[in-house]
Amino acid sequence: MSDPLVSLVMVGLLSISCQFLAYKIRLPAILPLLVTGILVGPVFGILNADALFGDLLFPVVSLSVAIILFEGSLTLRFSDIAGHGNMVRNLCTIGVAVTWVVAAVAAHYTLSLSWQLSFLFGAIVTVTGPTVIVPMLRTVRPQTNLSNILRWEGIIIDPIGALLAVLVFEFIVASQEAAISHTLITFGKTIGIGSFLGIAVGYLLGIALRKEMIPHYLQNTAVLTVILGVFAASNYVAHESGLLAVTLTGIMLANMKDVDVEDILEFKETLSVLLISGLFILLATRLDLNSVAALGWGVLVVLVAIMFIARPLSVLVSAIGTGLNLKELALLSWIAPRGIVAAAVSALFSLKLEEIGYEGANIIVPIVFLVIIATVVVQSLTAKTVSHLLGVRAPAPTGFLIFGGSKFNRLMAKEMQNQGIKVCVADTNWDAIREARMMEIPVYFGNPMSDHAARHLEMGIFGTVLIMSPYKQLNPMIAYHFEYTMGKDKVWALTNNEQSTRPSHQVSEHYAKKLTLFDEGITYGFLASAVSRGATVKTTRLSEEFTFEDYLEKYGTRTTPLIAIDADGRIHTFVKGRELKPQSGWRIIGLIEPESEESV
């Protein structure tokens, strides 16, 4: 395409289309993005990133990778590493080292790469990433401990692996630009400047955020601009130190006390949909299929070494002293797909090495892309079967995610918790979340359909979502999001008793069918009013002598049945139109209003 405007718009449309397709088929978005980029690029020649951006391609890729690494480093909290066991810590340290060495040795001896390029390639393929891990875990549904290990490994290993690649690359550049006797000095200068600027700017930026020196509406934009400035300034002072600087800035912000980075992370979600998706399509258009074919059979040996030697060995070494059994280790060894960070970093370093005339630099991108394709395709298609055969798949989820932290919701969640039901309250209101925490109820502070929630919420334990918030604009979006990710008849919402009487409050017929939680006329206002009058949430056990009919007769209109737990421990939600017939041995969690003065 000769018109740059049309080309840029096409990239945006293709990016969103690929993201939507991945969302519908529940596969990592990297697959359709990769296929689309190859089709519009080397196959049909519709789009070419070099022709579209020219000399600007290198700066665009550089700035994009800087933003990606900064966002990844914002999730790297030291408390998270300690809080999720020795296995995660070992995988992100010892495991990275094992994968790095095995992949480098395999690339050197089978593809005849120089040791420098081999170790750069090995560093790049150490990363997995939550963008490919999280969709896979939703389908595989491994046991909770394994899901936590894989999810947190993906979050933490991105900046660590990318930082390792940055250090290897800087060593290569230092070796190119200086005599051997000065290589370590040049390398040390690069590390020193990048570390100093990254830590210093991270600290100062954290102070500014903590003291609210930046207006709230400018915080996201200001942080993004500062990060790009740090990247450029660090590169100007010491060649290729910018990526190290932005990574350390993010780590600094993530670990400073009383510095809230959640809004910054949420801002990144909107930015990354177009930025990361568009970048991946553009990078795929540069893929030379002839270079891929020229790699020969040696690349298969590299793939086998990474998937069947490096990963199992890194898992086994990391698992020493953790108490995991062989079946659990086998599943951890099988799931390690590579993602967008590996693709972006490989393309960036390949461009930089080509720019300084480094021989063989153009081979890095085809190898990394083949590793991404092989790991994502093979593991996405087989991981569910492997987990089933190993017997490490979690049982069907029975927990409840409650959106809304009102007083009634907290009372209900606490009673459900007392009855052995896993429950989590999500809300964007900090006061409600604080009250729930004081009652020792698991909580999520934020939007439960955000990218941050996908990384931090253990969705594998939730089988039902109850929408009981006053946010009428947000409730339908939450409902549709979780229906797609969890399936039909898993999401229920309170009615507002307005959609049938007020034309301005009409909702879609599909969403209206979900507004049937508990019973007709049970609205957010009704529940709030009942609690203010002294209503309580309590559990009643049925028996042969005290049946469900006796329960309804005893409390009459003062009770609203909420949840039923049958004799086998199965959990049922009372929904209008769903006929439940509680039997002896069942437990009924219900809202009980106090007796009126007249009744007394």
Side-chain angles (χ1 to χ4, degrees):
M1 288 191 176
S2 58
D3 189 340
L5 178 63
V6 175
S7 298
L8 288 173
V9 171
M10 185 181 73
V11 171
L13 292 174
L14 290 174
S15 301
I16 295 301
S17 300
C18 291
Q19 289 281 355
F20 182 73
L21 176 63
Y23 179 68
K24 294 290 288 185
I25 63 179
R26 300 184 186 182
L27 280 178
I30 199 169
L31 273 180
L33 288 169
L34 177 62
V35 172
T36 300
I38 293 175
L39 289 177
V40 300
V43 175
F44 296 111
I46 300 173
L47 188 66
N48 183 278
D50 294 288
L52 177 60
F53 288 97
D55 293 337
L56 288 176
L57 179 62
F58 178 75
V60 167
V61 174
S62 297
L63 293 175
S64 299
V65 173
I67 294 171
I68 293 170
L69 291 187
F70 172 70
E71 180 276 328
S73 62
L74 277 178
T75 65
L76 187 52
R77 294 183 177 90
F78 299 137
S79 59
D80 290 338
I81 301 177
H84 285 78
N86 294 334
M87 188 65 183
V88 175
R89 182 198 62 202
N90 293 345
L91 282 173
C92 295
T93 51
I94 302 171
V96 166
V98 170
T99 302
W100 180 35
V101 172
V102 172
V105 170
H108 176 72
Y109 286 108
T110 60
L111 298 175
S112 301
L113 291 181
S114 66
W115 278 114
Q116 291 92 331
L117 284 181
S118 296
F119 276 105
L120 178 61
F121 164 74
I124 292 171
V125 296
T126 59
V127 300
T128 53
T131 56
V132 286
I133 285 289
V134 171
M136 193 176 294
L137 292 180
R138 288 174 185 160
T139 303
V140 177
R141 212 176 68 236
Q143 293 173 358
T144 302
N145 63 328
L146 301 181
S147 178
N148 284 340
I149 290 171
L150 289 168
R151 188 160 51 91
W152 280 103
E153 179 199 10
I155 293 171
I156 296 169
I157 208 170
D158 258 2
I160 291 177
L163 181 58
L164 176 62
V166 169
L167 297 178
V168 175
F169 171 77
E170 289 171 355
F171 187 83
I172 294 174
V173 172
S175 302
Q176 284 288 107
E177 294 183 344
I180 296 177
S181 59
H182 297 288
T183 296
L184 292 179
I185 297 176
T186 308
F187 178 66
K189 177 185 175 183
T190 303
I191 300 301
I193 294 297
S195 300
F196 173 76
L197 285 178
I199 294 173
V201 173
Y203 177 76
L204 294 175
L205 193 55
I207 294 295
L209 293 174
R210 181 191 296 165
K211 295 186 175 181
E212 299 182 355
M213 298 168 64
I214 306 173
H216 189 271
Y217 78 97
L218 283 179
Q219 283 184 2
N220 293 331
T221 308
V223 170
L224 177 63
T225 306
V226 169
I227 289 306
L228 297 180
V230 172
F231 174 73
S234 186
N235 276 345
Y236 181 79
V237 177
H239 190 54
E240 304 307 340
S241 62
L243 292 179
L244 175 60
V246 298
T247 302
L248 292 179
T249 300
I251 294 173
M252 198 68 191
L253 285 175
N255 290 278
M256 284 186 67
K257 187 178 180 180
D258 298 327
V259 176
D260 186 9
V261 296
E262 300 301 332
D263 287 342
I264 301 171
L265 276 170
E266 191 170 352
F267 169 69
K268 165 264 165 190
E269 296 168 22
T270 304
L271 182 65
S272 66
V273 170
L274 278 177
L275 180 63
I276 297 179
S277 304
L279 178 64
F280 199 75
I281 288 179
L282 290 171
L283 295 178
T285 65
R286 301 184 72 253
L287 193 62
D288 187 351
L289 297 182
N290 292 326
S291 298
V292 175
L295 292 174
W297 294 103
V299 73
L300 293 180
V301 178
V302 174
L303 292 174
V304 169
I306 291 173
M307 295 176 65
F308 296 99
I309 299 177
R311 179 62 178 180
L313 185 59
S314 67
V315 169
L316 287 174
V317 173
S318 301
I320 296 175
T322 61
L324 294 172
N325 61 46
L326 287 178
K327 291 183 177 181
E328 292 170 333
L329 295 179
L331 185 68
L332 293 176
S333 299
W334 186 240
I335 300 180
R338 272 57 179 183
I340 185 66
V341 171
V345 172
S346 67
L348 174 62
F349 290 157
S350 177
L351 281 170
K352 290 186 175 184
L353 290 174
E354 289 174 16
E355 189 179 50
I356 64 175
Y358 198 92
E359 185 178 355
N362 61 337
I363 200 173
I364 291 292
V365 172
I367 306 175
V368 172
F369 271 65
L370 284 177
V371 171
I372 293 171
I373 295 171
T375 54
V376 172
V377 171
V378 173
Q379 294 173 10
S380 292
L381 295 177
T382 61
K384 183 177 180 180
T385 302
V386 170
S387 66
H388 180 73
L389 293 175
L390 291 172
V392 293
R393 248 191 132 203
T398 58
F400 282 70
L401 176 63
I402 299 175
F403 179 55
S406 67
K407 186 175 181 180
F408 165 78
N409 294 2
R410 299 194 298 269
L411 291 173
M412 175 179 165
K414 188 62 181 178
E415 186 60 28
M416 293 171 70
Q417 197 177 27
N418 292 339
Q419 298 303 316
I421 301 174
K422 293 181 179 179
V423 64
C424 177
V425 172
D427 204 319
T428 57
N429 185 308
W430 171 247
D431 291 331
I433 291 298
R434 185 185 61 212
E435 293 291 335
R437 279 181 173 173
M438 292 176 65
M439 297 173 66
E440 298 183 348
I441 300 170
V443 297
Y444 175 75
F445 176 46
N447 186 341
M449 65 178 182
S450 66
D451 188 48
H452 180 270
R455 292 194 305 265
H456 292 79
L457 260 179
E458 297 177 21
M459 288 306 302
I461 66 175
F462 301 124
T464 306
V465 176
L466 304 182
I467 301 174
M468 301 190 292
S469 86
Y471 314 128
K472 296 179 182 179
Q473 286 73 33
L474 189 57
N475 288 343
M477 291 188 287
I478 300 289
Y480 289 127
H481 172 80
F482 284 109
E483 184 181 53
Y484 277 121
T485 57
M486 299 175 63
K488 293 184 177 180
D489 297 330
K490 303 290 185 181
V491 182
W492 304 103
L494 292 172
T495 182
N496 55 24
N497 275 356
E498 293 177 338
Q499 61 267 20
S500 60
T501 58
R502 297 188 182 183
S504 61
H505 288 67
Q506 291 289 327
V507 297
S508 68
E509 182 180 352
H510 180 72
Y511 179 60
K513 292 179 180 178
K514 301 185 179 304
L515 303 179
T516 54
L517 183 58
F518 302 142
D519 201 356
E520 185 176 5
I522 306 299
T523 64
Y524 179 88
F526 169 82
L527 295 173
S529 177
V531 171
S532 69
R533 295 193 302 269
T536 59
V537 177
K538 59 181 286 187
T539 301
T540 304
R541 182 178 291 273
L542 304 181
S543 62
E544 295 290 347
E545 294 76 22
F546 188 75
T547 64
F548 185 59
E549 289 72 21
D550 296 331
Y551 172 84
L552 295 177
E553 183 179 350
K554 176 180 179 180
Y555 293 110
T557 58
R558 294 193 296 118
T559 184
T560 301
L562 309 171
I563 303 291
I565 307 171
D566 65 25
D568 296 322
R570 291 187 295 265
I571 306 166
H572 310 270
T573 306
F574 282 92
V575 175
K576 178 188 173 184
R578 175 191 289 178
E579 186 177 354
L580 280 180
K581 296 181 179 179
Q583 306 294 321
S584 174
W586 285 42
R587 287 168 285 163
I588 306 297
I589 300 176
L591 175 71
I592 308 296
E593 295 190 59
E595 292 184 285
S596 63
E597 293 182 3
E598 292 80 1
S599 299
V600 174

